[in-house]
Amino acid sequence: MKKIILVFAAGLLAYSCSTVPLTGRRSLSMVSNDEIQPLVNDEYKRAVSESKNVTGTANGQAVVRVGQRMAKAVEAYLVQEGYQDLVNDFSWEFNLLESDQINAWCMPGGKVAFYTGILPITKDEAGIAVVMGHEIAHAVASHARERMSNGMLLNGLLGGASAAMGQNPTMMQQILLQGVGAGSQLGMLSFSRKHELEADEMGLIFMAMAGYDPRTAPAFWQRMAAAGGGAPPEFLSTHPGPDRRIERLNANMPKALKYYKP
């Protein structure tokens, strides 16, 4: 019986894996976007409603302008590479929220929020593009769905989200809430360092695709590290150290520059 269960689980995992665009990494995908998007939409609306929305200002319009430009470039790439289904899952929104927090995030489906506290560090639209590319990459790589899938596997919930709801609805609700950041401060997610480094690599290429110079990225991360003083900003709290991050960005720079057309 144990062997049968192991064979079944191995087959399920193989069937439930997806490929991350650009990096080619295989990731666990036992949850569909359709299953989590209603929760994501509610959480995004809550986050936006609980802060002063300053999207209509000059800075807010800069965030929207960069976001739309990058989303267009990323979608064109995904369609070209055969990821049309992934593109169909996006319904992009970009908002600038007034807060001293040095942070930004993107939830599944392309729901993006920037905080005004990060703008002195971004300095210009290229700096915004560094952050935007990193956050969009989390959504494109389906990192939140992967977190949820891992949570289901660790708790023995197999067969997809719908089946898991029947097995243990309370546990599944907790996994879904944690996976998309619902209930945490303004919906912010805490990804693993593996996810963060992957988002760095993908984001660097995404900003290049949109016509922003990827060579500005290391300088941005240097400014971000300096802004922390004795403690890192929230944006860096679960991230790799700045030296390692910059080293990896520079290593990936030749790849990104192949996509860069000023």
Side-chain angles (χ1 to χ4, degrees):
M1 179 61 68
K2 288 183 179 180
K3 289 183 178 179
I4 294 175
I5 293 173
L6 288 173
V7 170
F8 173 76
L12 177 64
L13 292 179
Y15 179 77
S16 301
C17 282
S18 60
T19 301
V20 178
L22 282 175
T23 68
R25 182 177 65 84
R26 298 287 286 170
S27 64
L28 190 60
S29 181
M30 296 169 61
V31 182
S32 72
N33 279 319
D34 287 342
E35 289 170 316
I36 66 172
Q37 205 58 50
L39 177 61
V40 168
N41 293 339
D42 289 344
E43 174 65 5
Y44 186 71
K45 289 178 182 177
R46 183 185 69 82
V48 172
S49 68
E50 290 182 355
S51 298
K52 182 179 179 181
N53 192 322
V54 291
T55 305
T57 64
N59 283 333
Q61 288 304 295
V63 169
V64 173
R65 184 163 54 249
V66 172
Q68 290 178 342
R69 180 172 163 180
M70 294 193 70
K72 182 178 179 180
V74 169
E75 287 192 351
Y77 166 80
L78 292 174
V79 170
Q80 175 185 314
E81 296 298 313
Y83 291 98
Q84 181 63 58
D85 290 346
L86 180 56
V87 172
N88 294 340
D89 288 333
F90 289 114
S91 180
W92 299 98
E93 289 186 54
F94 305 95
N95 281 289
L96 178 64
L97 308 179
E98 189 172 279
S99 171
D100 291 335
Q101 294 184 65
I102 302 175
N103 207 3
W105 44 264
C106 177
M107 298 186 79
K111 307 302 183 185
V112 178
F114 265 62
Y115 297 113
T116 53
I118 203 171
L119 295 181
I121 303 171
T122 59
K123 290 187 177 296
D124 53 25
E125 293 196 9
I128 293 174
V130 175
V131 178
M132 189 71 72
H134 175 93
E135 296 306 326
I136 284 177
H138 280 308
V140 172
S142 298
H143 286 158
R145 287 171 54 204
E146 185 176 3
R147 286 204 327 166
M148 285 180 250
S149 299
N150 287 329
M152 291 167 60
L153 183 63
L154 288 172
N155 287 280
L157 300 173
L158 304 176
S162 297
M165 283 296 292
Q167 295 176 53
N168 192 333
T170 301
M171 177 65 71
M172 189 59 194
Q173 183 182 35
Q174 292 175 353
I175 290 171
L176 287 171
L177 290 172
Q178 291 170 1
V180 300
S184 63
Q185 187 179 18
L186 295 179
M188 291 180 289
L189 299 174
S190 295
F191 292 112
S192 69
R193 280 167 169 74
K194 174 182 70 176
H195 288 160
E196 293 300 337
L197 289 172
E198 185 169 59
D200 276 356
E201 178 182 350
M202 294 173 67
L204 192 71
I205 295 174
F206 287 162
M207 69 178 294
M209 288 177 178
Y212 297 102
D213 191 343
R215 290 168 292 193
T216 62
F220 164 80
W221 290 112
Q222 288 172 346
R223 296 195 299 271
M224 176 65 79
E234 181 69 28
F235 196 72
L236 287 173
S237 61
T238 59
H239 292 48
D243 291 340
R244 183 184 179 199
R245 157 169 269 143
I246 292 170
E247 180 182 353
R248 289 286 296 268
L249 286 170
N250 286 326
N252 285 310
M253 197 64 65
K255 186 191 306 183
L257 287 171
K258 292 179 181 178
Y259 292 91
Y260 178 50
K261 295 180 181 179

